[in-house]
Amino acid sequence: MHEDDERRLIGVGVGPGDPELVTLKALRALRAADVILVPATERSSASGPGRAEKIVLDVAPEVAERIVRVPFSMAQRRGVGPKRSGSWQASARAALDAFEGGARAVVLATVGDPSVYSTFSYLRGTVAESLADIAFEVIPGITAMQAISAASDLPLVEGREILALVPATVGPERLDAVLDVADSVTIYKGGRTLPQVIAQLNAHDRNSVVGTDVSLPTQSLVDADELSADETLPYFSTILSVPKRKSTGGAL
C-alpha cells in the first residue's frame, strides 16, 4: 500500500506490441498516473506515436492527454556520448517538471520490460540524483524473448538447458563465447549485424528463427537458414536460437 503523499516514478512494461499482452497491473498504473512518459526517437516524433505510446493508447485511450513524449536517441549505438547523455537529461527534466507541477505518480511506459535493456534504468538513476524523496517501482512486462518463443513454438528452455539473453552489439567474440556455453540464446538488436550473427549461429548448428514486429499484425518470422547472406533487418528484430532437440524430455 502506498502513502497518499508519496511521490513515485514507476517503470511500466507494456509488452512487445500486442496490446492484449499488457498486464492488468500495468493497465491500472497507467490509468492512475498523473503523467505518462513515453520514449520517442527523432524518427517516431516526426512520424507519430512510437510503439510504447501506441500500446498505451490502445489499452487506455482515456489517458491521451497525460502522455508526454521524452527523447530517446538512437544515433549512438555504444557508449555515453553527447546525444545519449542529452536525451537522458531531457527525459529526467520531463519527470522532474511533472513532480514540480504537482504529480504524485509519474509513469515511464516502456516496450517489453523496464528491467531489460530499458531506458527506465537511466531515467531512474538521473532522477534519483536530483530528488531524494522519490520512491521507485517497477511493473514487469512481457519481453520480446518470451513473445518470439510463443510465436515460433520453440520452447525457450527445457530440463537442464541454460538460457542466455545477449545484445548483438557485444560483438562476435563475446557472442561466440555465449553460444559455446548457453543452450538457448536470444539475441536482441541484431538487425544491422544480422549476416555476422547468422553465420555464427549456423557454425554452431542450431535451430534459429528471426522475428520482426513479434506479436503485431505485421509480425514476420523467418528461419535463419532461409535468409540471404547479406540480409539485414530493423534494429529491434529478435533472434531465438535453440539446440536441435532430438527427443521429448531429452534435456531432463
Side-chain angles (χ1 to χ4, degrees):
M1 186 71 66
H2 299 290
E3 299 293 337
D4 290 341
D5 61 348
E6 185 178 53
R7 298 193 296 178
R8 291 174 293 139
L9 179 62
I10 309 166
V12 174
V14 294
D18 182 352
E20 291 189 352
L21 295 178
V22 175
T23 67
L24 293 175
K25 187 168 185 176
L27 179 57
R28 186 162 55 247
L30 292 169
R31 287 173 171 165
D34 298 304
V35 175
I36 300 168
L37 307 179
V38 292
T41 63
E42 296 89 344
R43 180 179 300 177
S44 65
S45 294
S47 61
R51 183 171 295 188
E53 184 176 351
K54 287 178 182 177
I55 298 170
V56 171
L57 290 173
D58 277 338
V59 298
E62 69 275 15
V63 306
E65 293 185 356
R66 287 177 264 159
I67 291 176
V68 176
R69 294 178 184 173
V70 294
F72 173 54
S73 178
M74 295 287 291
Q76 184 177 353
R77 300 299 180 188
R78 300 180 186 178
V80 182
K83 287 192 175 182
R84 179 165 289 168
S85 178
S87 70
W88 292 355
Q89 293 297 329
S91 299
R93 186 70 259 167
L96 295 172
D97 286 346
F99 286 123
E100 290 171 5
R104 313 308 296 175
V106 177
V107 159
L108 176 69
T110 68
V111 173
D113 183 278
S115 300
V116 180
Y117 303 129
S118 169
T119 55
F120 180 70
S121 58
Y122 312 125
L123 177 62
R124 174 178 180 160
T126 309
V127 169
E129 293 173 358
S130 300
L131 294 177
D133 66 331
I134 299 297
F136 299 98
E137 182 179 350
V138 172
I139 297 176
I142 292 173
T143 64
M145 176 172 63
Q146 295 162 290
I148 193 172
S149 173
S152 62
D153 197 27
L154 290 174
L156 281 175
V157 277
E158 295 183 349
R160 293 174 287 111
E161 292 175 352
I162 298 171
L163 171 65
L165 173 61
V166 58
T169 50
V170 298
E173 290 186 7
R174 293 189 68 187
L175 179 56
D176 254 336
V178 172
L179 291 169
D180 285 338
V181 173
D183 300 289
S184 295
V185 179
T186 304
I187 303 167
Y188 283 3
K189 309 176 187 179
R192 291 186 175 184
T193 59
L194 190 63
Q196 174 65 45
V197 171
I198 296 302
Q200 290 181 259
L201 294 175
N202 289 338
H204 284 77
D205 192 29
R206 295 166 164 269
N207 288 328
S208 303
V209 62
V210 182
T212 303
D213 289 344
V214 178
S215 84
L216 292 171
T218 52
Q219 170 180 289
S220 170
L221 292 174
V222 182
D223 288 339
D225 56 10
E226 295 179 3
L227 295 169
S228 61
D230 58 351
E231 190 164 352
T232 60
L233 290 172
Y235 179 70
F236 285 114
S237 298
T238 302
I239 304 164
L240 175 60
S241 181
V242 300
K244 292 186 175 179
R245 300 171 178 124
K246 298 179 180 179
S247 62
T248 300
L252 291 173

